[in-house]
Amino acid sequence: MPAISAETLALLRRNDTPTVCNALEHVMGGRTAEGFTKSPTVCADPGLPPVVGFARTAKIRASSPAHKPAAEVRALRMAYYEYVSAGAGPNVVVIEDTDWPHCIGGFWGEMQVAQHKGLGLAGTLTNGVLRDLGMLDPGYQVIAGSVGPSHAFVHVTDLDVPVTVFGMAVKPDDLIHADRHGAVVIPAQHIEAMPAAIDIVVRKEQPILKAARAPGFTVEKLRAAWAEADGIR
C-alpha cells in the first residue's frame, strides 16, 4: 500500500475533489480525460467533507440470486468484512455493481453503513444503489449511482480485484479522493506532491477571482489578472 503522511491526508480532506483534479493536472503537466468519475452520483450527505483513503475493492450483483450454497455466500460476506477493515487505513470501500447501468438492488443502507462505520472505514464509493435515506448513521459518506427501495438479490461476488465505477478504473490500494462531485484516483507517485500542487492552483485562482468579484470588472482587468496568475509559481 502506498504511504501517505498525516499532513498530506489532512490537507486532502480539507480540499474538494475538483481542486484535487486541478492539482493532479499541475503535477502531471497537463490535462487528462482518465482517472476520475464520468457520470453523476448521489450522496448520502452532500455536506460531509471529502472521503480520502486507500481502495478496498469488491464486486456485487443484485439482479439474480447467488448460484452457491447459503453458507458459502455468508462466508464470502464475512471475508469481505475482514478484507475491507484490514490494515492501518484509512480505507475506502469501492464497489462495482456489475448490473450497471441497470442497478436494482441496494447493498448500501442503514445496516451496511452502521457496520462499516463501526469497522472504521472512511467511506464508500459505488456505482450501485443507496437506500434508507434519513436512517443512515451520521458522518459516514456513501457516494452511489442511484437511490432505490429494495436490496433485491444483492450479494458479493468478488474481493480485492480491479473495478470500474462511473468510468473510473480502480485497483486495490489506489488512493481515492471523493465528494459530492465524484471521485478521482491519486497515483501513488504523486501523493506527496499534492500539498504543493494544491497550494499553487489555489493561489493561481485568487487574482482572477478577486478581479471578477470587484466592482468595475472589465476584459482588460481580466487580462491583467490572468497575467498575474500566470506568474505565480
Side-chain angles (χ1 to χ4, degrees), residues 124-135:
T124 294
L125 174 68
T126 180
N127 61 348
V129 178
L130 171 65
R131 64 181 192 151
D132 295 336
L133 300 181
M135 302 173 67

Side-chain angles (χ1 to χ4, degrees), residues 72-85 115 156 159:
E72 289 186 26
V73 174
R74 174 65 63 86
L76 183 57
R77 180 68 69 88
M78 291 299 106
Y80 162 84
Y81 292 124
E82 291 176 352
Y83 163 63
V84 300
S85 60
Q115 292 170 88
V156 175
L159 299 179

